[in-house]
Amino acid sequence: MPSFLLLEVLFIFLFSGVRQSHPLQEVHVSRETIGKISAANKMMQCSAAVDVLFLIDGSHSVGKRSFERSKHFAIMVCDALDINPERVRVGALQFSSAPRLEFRLDSFSSQQEVKAKIKRMVFKGGRTDTGLALKYLLRKGFPGGRNASVPQILVVSTDGRSQGQVATPAEQLKERGITIFAVGVQFPRWEELHTLASEPKEQHVLMAEQAEDATNGLLSTLSKSAVCTVASPDCKVQPHPCERKTLETVRELVGSAPCWRGSRGTDAVLAALCPFSSWKRVFLTHPATCYRTTCPGACDSQPCQNGGTCVPEGRDRYHCLCPPAFGGEANCAPKLSLECRIDVLFLLASSAGTTPEGFLRAKAFVKRFLQASLSEDSRARVGVAWYSGELALAVPVGEYRDVPALLRSLDGLPFGGGATLTGHALRQAADHGFGSTTRTGQDRPRRVVVLFTESPSQDEVAGPARYARARELLLLGVGTDAVRAELEEITGSPKRVLVHAGPQDLFHRIPELRRKLCSRPRPGCQAQSLDLLFVLDASASVGPENFAQMQSFVRSLMLPFDVNPDVTQVGLVVYGSRVQTAFGLDTHLTRAAVLRATSQAPYLGGMGSAGTALLHVYDKVMTVQRGARPGVPKAVVLLTGGMGVEDAAVPIQKLRNNGVSALVVGVGPVLREALRRLAGPRDSLIHVASYADLRYHQDALLEWVCAEAKRPVSLCKPSPCLHEGTCILQNGNYRCECRDGWQGPHCGNPGNVVGAACIPGAVLGAGNIAVNRR
């Protein structure tokens, strides 16, 4: 084959990969039903006497990421188990080349102890010998279990790619009365999972990568045997259509290419066309039926408006996660008050092409918008102008006594008729529409022109629009579909255009216009890997009302981030009379859970010490052992009223020296000198005049967080090595050099061996890691 064809085939093979985030088991139901499946997990409890043993694949074919997924699934299952020596006992065994008992079924007597031990399990590596692990259980039984006196449940998490025979030992275990759940990870071989699983197969084969769904499936199956129960009799186990996928390599004919072959018996070389193929990785789908429990809930009536997400809290309660424009309102109802500092000029076309009816529609819209959006404490100033041939400034920006006076001025606007000279009006609005103010930079409010027209312009608009935008004016356009293209040219973006289909549809655009007026581009680091910790001053000097405003501010900061174990982890510490970890970095795995937990953080009162809180962060929160991820940027944001920070200079520097970025947000009319000393070499300090003004500094804080998230990091800061082991960087990875008496990858195991194996730098959730080699 010619060399260029060989290269082409090689590239087709190498770059035909499949995104590994593709769901490998998908329940084909509505979003509401998926929410009910997730909510039902919290209503299912297993309190009968039963022995549950997790058999977790720790082989190299599974990998550390999927091993962590298996642990996460096991922890979620434990949330529903009434772990007690007389009721549910739980044990765990990790297998690869050989089985390793992590802990016996009689080792722990509480749910918290079991979950903590599972979380600390260390990936073993090696080949996949599932059959050997099953034979181990055949010989020794369930370690620490009650034998056959209670039901025995084996939960096997594996990719189904065993290098040994599994059918016979699995069948022998089932003959002893052991119920086996086969839980797939990575890209599983479903046929092997079916071989492992008990009957009926569809109810005992699950997928750990979708932990909430798999947990529901396991508990639903156990509820049929009375091992688990559901709190409400209205909850039902129902079959749902689902689809399972397998990643396979298939051969495809690509085409033919010239080739040369010798002729038998002669020295001749014959030319011919030879077929050549490529290998491609594809998903093969397998239709199936999944059995899941759903419960009627408070979200069935869809109470959240304007795209809000309903989050059930038990059977009868819920709360709404609202888009930023509707945050703080009950059920995400329209929040129309213009709270942003902004100058707005409404520019209404009053030409013959617009017609008197169109001009009246524009006036009615502006009146209704102002009635709903302006209040006595609004920081927005408004003006109104109309045009046909020339611009007429009816109400200069901000020059009205009150809102009723502004509305009366609108009633008197006349219809002009004449030519539609939109370009000329835009240039005049840029020069004269906002007065002669010379304020610049942050001292000047954002200035916006909202153009209403239903008629194409009779003069050129591109040049005047560029002129207006060059004078730092934001242009928004409102009109019919007939002028959409022209409005997009004027505003510079389709996102700045509101198109309506008629009078009633026009009024429905009021919330959308309000969002566009007050929204600003957010820093783009939502998908950046980050360990983010907030430290809130909950002392008596702050007070409960101001502490509640700090909580609300932190919740609004979380909305742009993708909170999950692979991207952004969030933790929260509060301090006052004592220091308390409200939740650690790896406690909550979704944004909804973080928002809920932030609202529940306690107000402590008493005397607060920021230095003590930061030392607590250094020792007990921002560590690899407590959920911080090696190679992932780390940031701490301290929100304080400024009292009790005199002892914080040394602790905050310790954090920075350990690779943790630290920002101080000081609230109060005067910036205290003690706060200035915490700013650090990169001026990491934001001063806010009052707690009510925190919301106006959200963009600045997000910009700082995103900048820190992109800084190079070291895999050895904070050190992942336990018991004073030394972390050593080596070729983009790290290894732990252990002190005498300790051994293992992280120096966590007692022993006499010094040193440990190299740990890959691409740890769970680290993303693309830039390492400072020092």
Side-chain angles (χ1 to χ4, degrees):
M1 181 183 294
S3 60
F4 71 89
L5 290 174
L6 183 61
L7 281 173
E8 183 178 356
V9 173
L10 180 62
F11 270 72
I12 291 173
F13 178 78
L14 288 177
F15 293 100
S16 57
V18 182
R19 291 180 58 194
Q20 295 196 11
S21 61
H22 201 291
L24 301 175
Q25 176 171 285
E26 200 170 2
V27 183
H28 290 180
V29 293
S30 66
R31 176 188 285 184
E32 290 74 20
T33 302
I34 291 176
K36 288 183 179 182
I37 289 173
S38 175
N41 293 352
K42 301 178 180 63
M43 304 180 69
M44 303 169 76
Q45 289 292 321
C46 306
S47 296
V50 62
D51 287 349
V52 180
L53 180 65
F54 291 99
L55 184 60
I56 299 178
D57 190 341
S59 65
H60 283 131
S61 69
V62 166
K64 189 176 188 302
R65 181 184 294 268
S66 290
F67 177 74
E68 295 294 331
R69 296 287 192 197
S70 297
K71 288 166 53 179
H72 171 53
F73 164 69
I75 290 170
M76 288 196 69
V77 172
C78 288
D79 282 332
L81 304 180
D82 184 8
I83 297 176
N84 183 289
E86 303 303 320
R87 290 186 285 274
V88 183
R89 293 187 184 181
V90 175
L93 188 147
Q94 182 182 171
F95 72 93
S96 53
S97 303
R100 181 175 75 190
L101 182 63
E102 298 287 349
F103 58 95
R104 294 161 51 91
L105 285 104
D106 56 0
S107 296
F108 303 110
S109 58
S110 72
Q111 187 184 93
Q112 291 74 17
E113 292 176 306
V114 170
K115 289 166 61 176
K117 180 61 178 176
I118 293 175
K119 189 176 290 188
R120 292 195 300 268
M121 286 174 57
V122 178
F123 178 66
K124 188 180 173 196
R127 60 191 182 88
T128 311
D129 201 332
T130 313
L132 186 62
L134 298 177
K135 292 173 184 176
Y136 174 91
L137 296 177
L138 284 171
R139 290 195 314 272
K140 300 198 173 186
F142 275 28
R146 288 162 284 189
N147 299 322
S149 62
V150 300
Q152 293 178 300
I153 297 169
L154 179 64
V155 183
V156 185
S157 297
T158 178
D159 60 358
R161 298 171 185 270
S162 177
Q163 294 165 343
Q165 198 266 352
V166 300
T168 300
E171 195 59 38
Q172 291 172 341
L173 286 170
K174 286 180 276 190
E175 289 174 356
R176 294 186 181 183
I178 296 174
T179 300
I180 301 180
F181 286 89
V183 184
V185 294
Q186 193 75 351
F187 301 107
R189 287 180 178 161
W190 295 100
E191 59 273 16
E192 184 168 314
L193 297 184
H194 279 77
T195 300
L196 289 169
S198 296
E199 296 286 350
K201 304 289 187 182
E202 297 290 358
Q203 297 179 34
H204 290 83
V205 174
L206 304 164
M207 187 70 202
E209 306 285 344
Q210 287 83 45
E212 287 191 343
D213 175 73
T215 301
N216 185 294
L218 187 145
L219 299 177
S220 298
T221 301
L222 294 181
S223 66
K224 291 187 174 182
S225 59
V227 171
C228 301
T229 58
V230 187
S232 170
D234 297 328
C235 300
K236 297 179 181 178
V237 180
Q238 295 177 317
H240 301 286
C242 62
E243 191 175 72
R244 292 167 178 161
K245 299 179 175 67
T246 305
L247 188 64
E248 299 287 352
T249 303
V250 298
R251 184 174 181 176
E252 290 185 348
L253 179 66
V254 176
S256 300
C259 62
W260 291 264
R261 295 177 176 174
S263 176
R264 183 176 298 175
T266 70
D267 294 332
V269 177
L270 302 178
L273 287 177
C274 300
F276 67 93
S277 303
S278 71
W279 295 91
K280 187 176 183 181
R281 303 179 79 195
V282 298
F283 277 116
L284 301 181
T285 59
H286 311 277
T289 301
C290 293
Y291 292 83
R292 302 293 183 263
T293 298
T294 57
C295 305
C299 292
D300 288 355
S301 61
Q302 299 181 338
C304 303
Q305 306 174 45
N306 297 302
T309 301
C310 183
V311 179
E313 296 177 343
R315 185 177 177 187
D316 301 318
R317 298 178 58 195
Y318 69 92
H319 72 272
C320 295
L321 294 178
C322 305
F326 303 100
E329 298 297 311
N331 294 349
C332 308
K335 181 183 178 183
L336 297 175
S337 178
L338 281 172
E339 297 177 348
C340 51
R341 186 166 177 253
I342 190 172
D343 286 353
V344 185
L345 178 67
F346 290 96
L347 183 57
L348 314 183
S350 181
S351 62
T354 299
T355 72
E357 293 80 8
F359 183 63
L360 289 174
R361 274 195 298 273
K363 285 205 303 182
F365 176 88
V366 173
K367 287 179 65 176
R368 187 174 298 186
F369 180 85
L370 296 178
Q371 285 173 318
S373 303
L374 289 185
S375 59
E376 292 183 0
D377 60 347
S378 174
R379 305 173 79 225
R381 303 190 309 164
V382 176
V384 182
W386 59 274
Y387 74 95
S388 55
E390 293 291 332
L391 179 75
L393 196 59
V395 182
V397 172
E399 295 186 15
Y400 50 87
R401 294 188 306 277
D402 50 33
V403 175
L406 176 60
L407 298 177
R408 286 194 296 272
S409 300
L410 290 176
D411 290 334
L413 292 184
F415 175 70
T420 308
L421 302 181
T422 304
H424 183 60
L426 285 171
R427 189 176 290 272
Q428 289 184 308
D431 288 336
H432 310 295
F434 295 88
S436 58
T437 177
T438 58
R439 289 181 297 171
T440 60
Q442 294 185 353
D443 187 48
R444 185 174 66 188
R446 191 185 194 192
R447 300 184 302 165
V448 186
V449 173
V450 182
L451 170 65
F452 281 80
T453 181
E454 296 180 1
S455 175
S457 179
Q458 294 172 264
D459 65 347
E460 189 260 342
V461 297
R466 286 195 298 270
Y467 176 79
R469 295 199 297 270
R471 293 176 66 87
E472 298 183 8
L473 294 183
L474 172 65
L475 303 181
L476 301 178
V478 183
T480 60
D481 197 61
V483 291
R484 181 199 296 265
E486 184 174 285
L487 290 177
E488 290 178 358
E489 183 180 23
I490 290 171
T491 62
S493 170
K495 295 181 179 179
R496 300 188 185 122
V497 176
L498 287 77
V499 174
H500 63 87
Q504 195 57 44
D505 185 49
L506 175 61
F507 294 128
H508 290 161
R509 298 289 183 266
I510 289 177
E512 186 179 358
L513 177 59
R514 186 248 166 224
R515 290 197 300 272
K516 292 182 184 297
L517 284 172
C518 284
S519 65
R520 288 182 180 269
R522 294 299 174 92
C525 69
Q526 293 90 334
Q528 183 75 27
S529 293
L530 178 66
D531 287 344
L532 178 60
L533 181 74
F534 290 92
V535 181
L536 303 188
D537 186 344
S539 65
S541 65
V542 171
E545 294 182 1
N546 291 332
F547 179 74
Q549 293 200 60
M550 293 167 71
Q551 288 175 291
S552 177
F553 177 61
V554 171
R555 292 179 79 253
S556 67
L557 286 170
M558 287 302 95
L559 293 174
F561 289 96
D562 182 9
V563 178
N564 70 62
D566 295 332
V567 187
T568 302
Q569 290 190 152
V570 180
L572 178 64
V573 169
V574 294
Y575 71 95
S577 57
R578 64 185 186 281
V579 180
Q580 179 175 334
T581 302
F583 53 91
L585 290 167
D586 60 350
T587 303
H588 298 298
L589 308 179
T590 65
R591 182 169 57 193
V594 167
L595 293 174
R596 186 162 53 247
T598 301
S599 299
Q600 297 168 355
Y603 169 73
L604 302 175
M607 294 286 290
S609 166
T612 303
L614 293 174
L615 286 175
H616 174 85
V617 170
Y618 181 90
D619 292 329
K620 300 181 180 180
V621 182
M622 194 60 79
T623 67
V624 173
Q625 294 76 35
R626 299 298 176 94
R629 297 165 293 176
V632 173
K634 293 162 183 61
V636 172
V637 178
L638 170 67
L639 280 86
T640 174
M643 301 293 289
V645 300
E646 292 78 6
D647 61 349
V650 173
I652 202 169
Q653 191 57 46
K654 284 188 67 174
L655 283 170
R656 288 169 176 152
N657 292 343
N658 205 31
V660 180
S661 302
L663 172 71
V664 179
V665 180
V667 185
V670 178
L671 182 59
R672 301 172 65 87
E673 187 59 32
L675 281 173
R676 294 183 188 275
R677 291 196 291 270
L678 306 183
R682 295 199 297 275
D683 291 329
S684 299
L685 174 65
I686 295 177
H687 178 230
V688 182
S690 68
Y691 291 94
D693 290 338
L694 277 169
R695 55 188 172 177
Y696 305 127
H697 296 266
Q698 181 172 331
D699 288 348
L701 196 151
L702 286 174
E703 183 177 356
W704 178 89
V705 169
C706 293
E708 296 302 309
K710 296 171 184 175
R711 294 178 62 82
V713 296
S714 169
L715 288 171
C716 287
K717 290 189 175 182
S719 174
C721 306
L722 301 172
H723 302 111
E724 300 181 345
T726 303
C727 181
I728 299 175
L729 292 173
Q730 191 175 58
N731 299 325
N733 299 322
Y734 72 85
R735 63 183 178 87
C736 290
E737 197 166 88
C738 304
R739 294 171 64 89
D740 290 342
W742 299 98
Q743 64 179 3
H746 296 94
C747 305
N749 303 326
N752 297 316
V753 180
V754 178
C758 183
I759 308 301
V763 295
L764 177 64
N768 296 322
I769 299 172
V771 179
N772 288 335
R773 293 175 177 84
R774 298 173 181 171

